[in-house]
Every structure is written in structure tokens, then in C-alpha cells.
Amino acid sequence: VEHALRLLGFSDCRVRHHGAVARIELPVAELGRAVEPAVRGEIGRIAQAVGFRHVALDLNGITSGAFTMQVLRSRTLEAARG
């Protein structure tokens, strides 16, 4: 899906896998283009073709390293609890 999004002209992207849901992160400046009817439809078709049942667009935009930061925070809390 990420490769296809780049082919559609998005400058950067991340697709997060949440079971049957693909959560797409794009640069904030490009969110509007993603919801244009033709582009939105193509993104949905691509995601469903690879097995996702639902597609969500993260309105916060792309956050590089967000998953890693969540893991680190969790480990820090676990260490603090002892």
C-alpha cells in the first residue's frame, strides 16, 4: 500500500496495520488530496486488494517513529513500576 501511495504522488506515507484496518499516515499538507473522490477510491481499492477490510486516514498526519516512541514509553513505564 505504501508503494502504491508513492506511485499516486504522495511524498511520504506510512500504513499502520491494525488487524483488518489500514491506518494511513500522510503529510498534513497532502491530506486534502487523499480525500478527493478519485484518489480516495483508488486508495480504498488498493488497500482492499491486499486484504484490508477498512481504511482509515490519520488526521494527525505522518509521525515518523511514532510506533518506536510508543514501545519506548511502555518499556519506561514497566521499568519504573519495578
Side-chain angles (χ1 to χ4, degrees):
V1 176
E2 290 179 357
H3 177 71
L5 288 168
R6 287 186 183 89
L7 291 176
L8 287 172
F10 292 99
S11 64
D12 197 7
C13 65
R14 289 289 176 272
V15 178
R16 310 293 183 181
H17 185 277
H18 298 281
V21 178
R23 180 171 53 88
I24 297 176
E25 298 178 1
L26 299 168
V28 172
E30 298 178 26
L31 292 175
R33 187 167 159 266
V35 297
E36 293 173 359
V39 178
R40 186 184 74 228
E42 186 64 18
I43 292 170
R45 281 187 288 281
I46 291 164
Q48 289 177 350
V50 299
F52 289 106
R53 289 183 55 207
H54 306 283
V55 181
L57 182 61
D58 191 325
L59 299 180
N60 291 319
I62 193 164
T63 307
S64 185
F67 178 76
T68 304
M69 291 305 295
Q70 184 178 19
V71 169
L72 290 174
R73 271 183 252 154
S74 176
R75 288 183 181 169
T76 301
L77 287 173
E78 288 174 12
R81 291 181 186 143

